[in-house]
């Protein structure tokens, strides 16, 4: 092999951590998934693979080339690679060979609104892999306010992982212990982003004082501050109004939290982040009101990242008015899916670079769980599916319609996420030395979505019946073919935690801006104190 590769960009502790693969004993269950009992040994080395003749697409370049993989790493990307007989060759002629998707926003096995999201770190990840996503970043919730306890709890949940994953951490209260734990999370646990909920009054919601403390702490650690931007007091008032009007069904969810409450909170978070001079990431941007605030801030030079989610790009709120409760309830998420028009605006913002990457907010509840709110929309667990559908829907919606190029597709589904969370080019690229997380998409084939055939555990699908062009035929996860010929080959315990170092590119130059600010103050003024003689 002519090319050599280097893992120079990985600090040693990170390399060591990422090589700790849990050992498992596997067998196959009735759904065709492998299952495992932990603590036993069944370690199969990853095969040598050559992907031949496809169009290799990266965020900044595409070319017809072969990709050679060994030990889970991309060893070479160049035309006409010759290999020996022990190498598995996959013909990708006429197909796109792209980095596996990275979903920046998921909630697997999350305890929320009196229940728990039904997809766990195995079923959610299996679903992801079948849809071409090879890494996700999940939100750790503190346990009784403790970040360390939250991290341990989520690490245990994630032991059954079958693909790579990272963690964000939510901050739901403020005291010295939380501030100290934030240090530990960043310096010792590989977390480089913290989410602040401006909504969910009475549970996760924080006030502006906490937001400011949290932003300052994030800045000092080089961690990215993220916000769920809705005015939680406004939402509580909107909910009271709906109840007074006798509107108890799922449509009350959308009516109680209109776009202006999302716009207000987005503007407030942006201004407070500007005041602290720290980068900001707005999760699940669902409305024109929010995206206009982001556009204005970015135009003024502020570092604000906006993440739309697939449901906001593809759906509109009309289904919330469906006469069948279960049909309507499955669309309940926050911020709500908006009226038609917001979806088109979000697509435009994505294609023009106002918004940077696409997540899913995958947080699934089955019909029985959604029925907790049959008499009161406030009790319907909030969340929709998407981890399995994101790559196909974004390709069909954005590339097939000509709104973006294949390279843009790679950027918004994979590369931008890897860069923002500081794991590029190990992830998010098909380059020599990158992890072999790869998909092969056939642009001439098609997909169809329905709950009967999806891999998520939920019994409904908000994209039920959707068809489109472009089919992910092969998913390779760290050098293993996990999805091929419509079959999943996954093992619990094979996924790795990917620690994410602080001080991404978003922090470059922040110190210079701080210096410019301090020197612009022209203060304190040195004054002579004169004593006045009487
Ligand atoms: O409805 C949603 N979005 N559920 C998950 C929790 C959150 O706010 O992200
Ligand atoms: Zn949220
Ligand atoms: Zn979320």
């Amino acid at each position: 092999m002519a090319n050599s590769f280097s893992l120079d960009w990985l600090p040693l502790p990170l390399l060591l951590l990422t090589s700790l693969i849990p050992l498992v004993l596997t067998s196959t269950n009735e759904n065709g998934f492998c299952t495992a009992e932990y603590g036993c040994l069944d370690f199969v080395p990853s095969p040598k693979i050559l992907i031949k003749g496809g169009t290799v697409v990266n965020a900044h370049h595409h070319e017809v080339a072969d990709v050679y993989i060994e030990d889970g790493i991309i060893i070479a990307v160049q035309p006409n690679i010759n290999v020996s007989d022990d190498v598995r060759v996959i013909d990708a002629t006429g197909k796109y060979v792209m980095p596996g998707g990275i979903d920046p926003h998921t909630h697997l096995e999350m305890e929320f609104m009196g229940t728990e999201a039904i997809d766990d770190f195995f079923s959610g990840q299996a679903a992801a892999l079948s849809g071409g996503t090879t890494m996700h970043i999940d939100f750790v919730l503190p346990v009784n306010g403790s970040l360390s306890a939250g991290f341990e709890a989520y690490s245990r949940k994630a032991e059954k992982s079958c693909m790579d994953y990272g963690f964000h951490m939510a901050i739901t209260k403020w005291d010295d212990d939380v501030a100290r734990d934030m240090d530990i999370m960043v310096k010792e646990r590989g977390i480089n982003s913290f989410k602040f909920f401006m909504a969910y009054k009475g549970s996760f919601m924080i006030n502006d004082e906490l937001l400011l403390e949290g932003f300052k702490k994030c800045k000092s650690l080089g961690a990215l501050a993220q916000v769920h931007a809705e005015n939680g007091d406004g939402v509580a008032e909107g909910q009271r109004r709906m109840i007074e009007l006798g509107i108890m069904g799922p449509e009350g969810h959308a009516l109680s939290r209109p776009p202006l409450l999302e716009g207000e909170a987005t503007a407030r978070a942006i201004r407070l982040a500007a005041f602290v001079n720290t980068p900001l990431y707005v999760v699940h941007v669902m409305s024109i009101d929010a995206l206009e605030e982001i556009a204005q801030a970015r135009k003024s030079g502020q570092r604000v990242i906006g993440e739309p989610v697939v449901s906001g790009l593809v759906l509109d709120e009309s289904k919330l008015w469906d006469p069948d409760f279960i049909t309507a309830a499955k669309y309940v998420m926050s911020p709500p899916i908006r009226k038609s028009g917001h979806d088109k605006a979000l697509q435009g913002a994505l294609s023009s670079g106002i918004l940077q990457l696409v997540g899913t907010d995958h947080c699934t509840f089955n019909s029985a769980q959604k029925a907790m709110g049959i008499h009161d929309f406030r009790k319907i667990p909030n969340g929709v599916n998407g981890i399995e559908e994101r790559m196909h829907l974004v390709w069909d919606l954005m590339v097939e319609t000509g709104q973006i190029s294949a390279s843009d597709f790679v950027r918004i589904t994979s590369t931008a996420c890897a860069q923002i969370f500081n794991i590029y080019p190990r992830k998010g690229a098909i380059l020599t030395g990158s992890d072999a997380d790869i998909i092969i998409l056939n642009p001439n084939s098609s997909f169809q979505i329905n709950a009967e055939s999806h891999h998520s555990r939920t019994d409904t699908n908000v994209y039920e019946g959707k068809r489109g062009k472009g089919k992910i035929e092969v998913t390779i996860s760290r050098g293993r073919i996990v999805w091929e010929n419509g079959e999943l080959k996954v093992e619990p315990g094979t996924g790795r935690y990917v620690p994410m170092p602080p001080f991404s590119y978003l922090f470059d130059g922040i110190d210079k801006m701080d210096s410019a600010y301090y020197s612009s103050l022209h203060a304190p003024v040195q004054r002579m104190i004169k004593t006045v003689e009487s």
Side-chain angles (χ1 to χ4, degrees):
M1 205 55 51
N3 286 18
S4 65
F5 68 95
S6 135
L7 291 174
D8 287 351
W9 65 79
L10 289 182
L12 186 62
L14 199 147
L15 261 176
L16 291 175
L17 259 168
T18 56
S19 65
L20 294 174
I21 302 168
L23 305 176
V24 293
L25 176 74
T26 63
S27 61
T28 305
N29 69 12
E30 68 277 11
N31 300 322
F33 292 144
C34 291
T35 55
E37 293 161 30
Y38 298 94
C40 304
L41 178 70
D42 181 17
F43 183 71
V44 186
S46 53
K48 297 173 184 169
I49 301 170
L50 181 71
I51 306 172
K52 239 192 142 29
T55 301
V56 177
V57 187
N58 277 303
H60 298 104
H61 180 65
H62 63 93
E63 61 177 329
V64 175
D66 300 346
V67 180
Y68 181 64
I69 299 162
E70 239 184 69
D71 294 329
I73 300 287
I74 297 171
I75 304 292
V77 185
Q78 61 190 59
N80 304 320
I81 299 176
N82 293 314
V83 288
S84 51
D85 288 347
D86 61 333
V87 175
R88 164 82 200 273
V89 179
I90 304 175
D91 182 9
T93 311
K95 301 177 186 174
Y96 290 107
V97 180
M98 300 187 279
I102 310 176
D103 188 339
H105 187 156
T106 60
H107 303 276
L108 300 180
E109 226 174 311
M110 175 172 77
E111 283 164 39
F112 188 42
M113 297 185 71
T115 184
E116 188 173 89
I118 193 164
D119 273 319
D120 63 21
F121 276 79
F122 181 65
S123 68
Q125 294 182 351
L129 290 167
S130 72
T133 287
T134 51
M135 180 176 169
H136 70 115
I137 314 179
D138 208 82
F139 286 88
V140 173
L141 293 181
V143 172
N144 298 326
S146 162
L147 310 194
S148 293
F151 185 86
E152 276 165 34
Y154 269 74
S155 300
R156 274 196 299 277
K157 290 181 201 234
E159 279 170 5
K160 51 184 143 343
S161 287
C162 56
M163 78 183 203
D164 288 1
Y165 61 94
F167 286 145
H168 312 286
M169 169 81 63
I171 302 295
T172 52
K173 67 167 200 173
W174 193 256
D175 57 27
D176 290 347
D177 288 343
V178 171
R180 199 175 38 248
D181 260 5
M182 283 176 75
D183 270 86
I184 295 170
M185 291 303 121
V186 173
K187 293 177 182 156
E188 297 171 25
R189 300 284 186 270
I191 285 181
N192 70 2
S193 48
F194 294 93
K195 179 176 178 183
F196 302 86
F197 289 92
M198 299 168 82
Y200 302 124
K201 192 170 179 180
S203 60
F204 300 149
M205 182 174 139
I206 46 84
N207 59 21
D208 288 355
E209 186 184 3
L210 193 156
L211 207 52
L212 279 165
E213 290 297 343
F215 283 2
K216 284 193 295 182
K217 187 72 187 173
C218 280
K219 178 180 181 179
S220 73
L221 292 169
L224 187 54
Q226 301 183 296
V227 283
H228 171 131
E230 284 184 291
N231 184 314
D233 289 315
V235 170
E237 175 57 26
Q239 290 177 333
R240 273 192 295 273
R241 192 186 294 170
M242 291 310 122
I243 301 303
E244 274 167 30
L245 291 169
I247 302 170
M248 307 300 285
E251 69 282 10
H253 179 75
L255 295 170
S256 64
R257 38 208 315 159
L260 70 95
L261 296 183
E262 189 187 345
E264 187 280 332
T266 306
R268 183 155 39 99
I270 285 173
R271 280 159 184 73
L272 293 181
F275 181 56
V276 173
N277 187 29
T278 198
L280 180 69
Y281 182 113
V282 184
V283 305
H284 47 41
V285 178
M286 297 296 280
S287 65
I288 295 171
D289 307 50
L291 84 81
E292 281 179 349
E293 297 295 342
I294 293 168
Q296 195 187 323
R298 287 180 63 86
K299 212 164 136 193
S300 75
Q302 195 179 336
R303 292 168 196 198
V304 181
I305 301 293
E307 169 214 82
V309 291
V310 189
S311 50
L313 292 165
V314 170
L315 303 171
D316 66 53
E317 67 172 15
S318 53
K319 284 283 203 313
L320 287 162
W321 271 258
D322 196 285
D324 175 54
F325 171 82
I326 288 301
T327 304
K330 74 178 175 180
Y331 293 91
V332 168
M333 67 167 289
S334 296
I337 298 165
R338 305 298 186 185
K339 281 190 194 326
S340 177
H342 290 271
D343 50 350
K344 301 282 181 314
L346 291 165
Q347 292 166 30
L350 197 51
S351 60
S352 61
I354 292 167
L355 303 174
Q356 289 69 46
L357 73 169
V358 182
T360 61
D361 202 1
H362 184 88
C363 183
T364 45
F365 301 100
N366 64 20
S367 303
Q369 291 171 299
K370 289 276 183 180
M372 289 164 64
I374 188 131
H375 302 299
D376 183 345
F377 68 84
R378 294 171 300 178
K379 297 190 177 136
I380 302 171
N382 289 195
V384 301
N385 63 293
I387 202 168
E388 181 167 354
E389 297 81 8
R390 179 182 72 128
M391 299 291 276
H392 282 114
L393 287 171
V394 173
W395 179 271
D396 183 60
L397 181 75
M398 303 297 288
V399 184
E400 280 299 327
T401 56
Q403 295 192 76
I404 60 169
S405 67
S407 276
D408 290 333
F409 171 80
V410 168
R411 183 171 45 75
I412 65 175
T413 58
S414 183
T415 311
C417 183
Q419 289 169 331
I420 289 163
F421 296 103
N422 220 4
I423 48 173
Y424 182 87
R426 175 183 166 196
K427 299 288 187 189
I430 300 194
L431 294 173
T432 302
S434 298
D435 281 359
D437 291 344
I438 295 176
I439 58 171
I440 303 177
L441 181 144
N442 183 348
N444 299 315
S445 195
S446 58
F447 68 88
Q448 180 168 9
I449 297 169
N450 47 61
E452 285 227 316
S453 60
H454 72 199
H455 296 83
S456 160
R457 285 211 182 115
T458 182
D459 58 353
T460 63
N461 193 311
V462 292
Y463 308 105
E464 185 69 35
K466 281 208 182 296
R467 297 157 184 268
K469 269 198 90 183
K471 174 92 183 93
I472 293 156
E473 293 182 335
V474 178
T475 305
I476 298 174
S477 169
R478 266 189 310 113
R480 287 164 204 273
I481 301 169
V482 290
W483 172 250
E484 192 183 24
N485 302 322
E487 255 179 59
L488 256 179
K489 292 182 196 126
V490 285
E491 293 172 20
T494 50
R496 276 182 320 186
Y497 177 58
V498 179
M500 298 180 289
F503 292 105
S504 73
Y505 75 95
L506 289 164
F507 285 84
D508 290 352
I510 289 280
D511 52 341
K512 294 197 176 75
M513 285 194 259
D514 280 342
S515 304
Y517 165 75
Y518 290 127
S519 48
S520 75
L521 298 178
H522 305 296
V525 175
Q526 301 301 315
R527 292 190 176 83
M528 302 273 285
I529 309 292
K530 288 187 194 152
T531 46
V532 183
E533 283 171 30
S534 54

